[in-house]
Amino acid sequence: MDWSRGPTVGRGSFATVSAAISNLTGHIFAVKSTQLSSSNSLQNEQRILSNLTHPRIIGYIGHDTTVENHKFLYNLFLEFLPYGNLNDETLRHGGTMKDSLIALYTRQILDGLDHIHSIGIAHCDIKGQNILLGENGAKIADFGCAKWVSYPPPPENVISGTPTFMAPEVAGGEEQGFPADIWALGCTIIEMATGGSPWSSHHRHYRHPCSILYRIAFSGESPIIPDFLSGKAKDFLGRCLRRDPKERWTARELLKHPFVEESNYAERENEGLNSKSPMSTLNQSIWNSVEDVSEVPRPSSGFSQGDRIRQLTSFSGKPNWSREENWVTIRDYNYYKTHQLN
């Protein structure tokens, strides 16, 4: 694939996301890159995404390996979603979303979860930061922790994800299947409603990831459901946040819940697709800080896609995208081998 790497639009523990453009078609996409020697998570994401095609899942374009600055890089090509993530959207709404908007995004996430669960895949890291927004609404992204689910789980079953969004059975090291994604969805709804961690209403002593994991696994408690939510929203959360995974509703059952089913969907969709916050999310380690802080500035509204990408790079200077030196032409590893480049 002949393409050019543009400005960096996000960084994480394991990968860097850059804007990119195909030199053949002019199509803009996102490229998620990391050193080949430490690319297990990114390669797992590629294997999962290459099996998925759904309007509520981030689009997979391809992958390759390149040599840049004398380093071997593994690159994952993804659909570019310019409107940020659910955390950004919550901030744009003053730190708390209305029930109607929460219901819209919840339904869209459920559509994606129902699809991946139906073919045997658990995401394992659902949270606002991993739900990206495009012209047509929310899409589930960051499948670095995702896995094919088998019952019973294998003896070497690996637990992964973000501590504050882990279900009790996950925090306790027992299993991580489809019900864990539903618990995390409940936590994400609280995040949309309050603008904070699902456990932030609890004692500050439990802000450390290890303390939170212990509390989730063994305290018998669940995240506090905000009092100001509607009765339907509270009931919906109650179905998601049952500590026994066998008692949680499935994604398909939740799609029939009045909270997401009984509303003017078209009207809420028009309300929801108004975000102008183009950030990217990256895979995070389980031991990252409980409260994630983005390094990318939030832009103002009213910009074209090119303007949005330019503003993403304002923290490191505003490059002139029309100038050739701001883009690096990349070809796959076979090209480098053929031409014996170091």
Side-chain angles (χ1 to χ4, degrees):
M1 181 176 183
D2 193 352
W3 56 283
S4 293
R5 185 188 299 277
T8 298
V9 297
R11 290 186 177 89
S13 300
F14 301 116
T16 298
V17 174
S18 304
I21 187 169
S22 168
N23 296 330
L24 302 177
T25 67
H27 176 68
I28 293 177
F29 56 95
V31 57
K32 194 172 182 179
S33 304
T34 192
Q35 290 195 45
L36 183 61
S37 59
S38 57
S39 62
N40 287 343
S41 176
L42 207 53
Q43 292 193 46
N44 178 66
E45 186 169 6
Q46 185 277 326
R47 287 190 293 270
I48 295 289
L49 283 175
S50 63
N51 287 279
L52 298 176
T53 302
H54 191 271
R56 294 302 165 200
I57 305 295
I58 190 170
Y60 167 74
I61 298 174
H63 71 284
D64 73 3
T65 303
T66 57
V67 179
E68 302 174 42
N69 297 322
H70 308 289
K71 295 179 180 179
F72 288 89
L73 297 182
Y74 184 87
N75 306 298
L76 180 63
F77 306 135
L78 301 168
E79 173 185 12
F80 187 85
L81 297 172
Y83 297 136
N85 59 48
L86 278 187
N87 289 357
D88 308 325
E89 179 77 339
T90 302
L91 288 174
R92 195 182 73 82
H93 286 268
T96 180
M97 292 190 196
K98 296 179 181 178
D99 271 30
S100 58
L101 191 54
I102 293 174
L104 163 66
Y105 289 130
T106 298
R107 183 182 182 90
Q108 292 176 345
I109 297 167
L110 279 172
D111 282 337
L113 286 178
D114 180 52
H115 176 69
I116 66 173
H117 291 178
S118 71
I119 60 177
I121 296 172
H123 184 277
C124 302
D125 199 19
I126 291 293
K127 58 182 179 180
Q129 194 178 25
N130 289 342
I131 308 298
L132 300 185
L133 305 180
E135 296 290 343
N136 298 314
K139 297 194 179 192
I140 301 174
D142 202 336
F143 282 75
C145 294
K147 63 182 179 181
W148 296 92
V149 175
S150 61
Y151 291 101
E156 69 280 5
N157 190 32
V158 177
I159 299 301
S160 59
T162 303
T164 48
F165 293 81
M166 284 185 175
E169 69 274 13
V170 180
E174 299 170 16
E175 62 176 321
Q176 187 170 28
F178 310 136
D181 283 347
I182 300 302
W183 174 282
L185 173 64
C187 292
T188 302
I189 293 172
I190 293 176
E191 190 181 35
M192 285 190 277
T194 66
S197 160
W199 292 92
S200 60
S201 298
H202 294 260
H203 195 277
R204 64 182 181 179
H205 175 70
Y206 295 99
R207 289 187 177 182
H208 190 279
C210 292
S211 299
I212 288 178
L213 285 175
Y214 185 86
R215 188 179 187 89
I216 294 170
F218 304 114
S219 70
E221 299 177 4
S222 298
I224 295 173
I225 297 176
D227 287 336
F228 57 81
L229 290 176
S230 68
K232 290 178 181 178
K234 290 178 182 177
D235 185 78
F236 185 95
L237 278 170
R239 314 285 180 176
C240 297
L241 296 175
R242 294 179 177 176
R243 289 188 61 87
D244 185 346
K246 296 182 179 64
E247 295 181 0
R248 279 174 227 146
W249 281 25
T250 66
R252 187 155 298 180
E253 289 171 332
L254 288 169
L255 281 167
K256 299 177 182 178
H257 191 280
F259 176 56
V260 297
E261 187 178 52
E262 295 177 6
S263 59
N264 188 329
Y265 186 79
E267 180 178 347
R268 288 188 288 110
E269 188 165 24
N270 288 335
E271 176 187 2
L273 304 182
N274 221 3
S275 174
K276 305 294 182 185
S277 181
M279 301 184 189
S280 297
T281 61
L282 300 167
N283 189 35
Q284 298 291 329
S285 164
I286 182 175
W287 300 116
N288 276 6
S289 64
V290 176
E291 300 295 337
D292 294 316
V293 180
S294 175
E295 298 177 352
V296 185
R298 297 180 67 240
S300 56
S301 61
F303 287 81
S304 68
Q305 178 165 296
D307 290 327
R308 293 184 190 111
I309 302 175
R310 288 187 189 94
Q311 196 162 16
L312 282 167
T313 62
S314 61
F315 61 96
S316 59
K318 296 182 179 179
N320 180 353
W321 280 32
S322 65
R323 296 178 61 182
E324 189 173 317
E325 61 265 29
N326 290 309
W327 292 80
V328 179
T329 299
I330 309 294
R331 296 180 177 84
D332 64 26
Y333 175 51
N334 290 329
Y335 177 92
Y336 285 88
K337 286 180 64 178
T338 302
H339 291 76
Q340 297 181 335
L341 295 179
N342 295 321

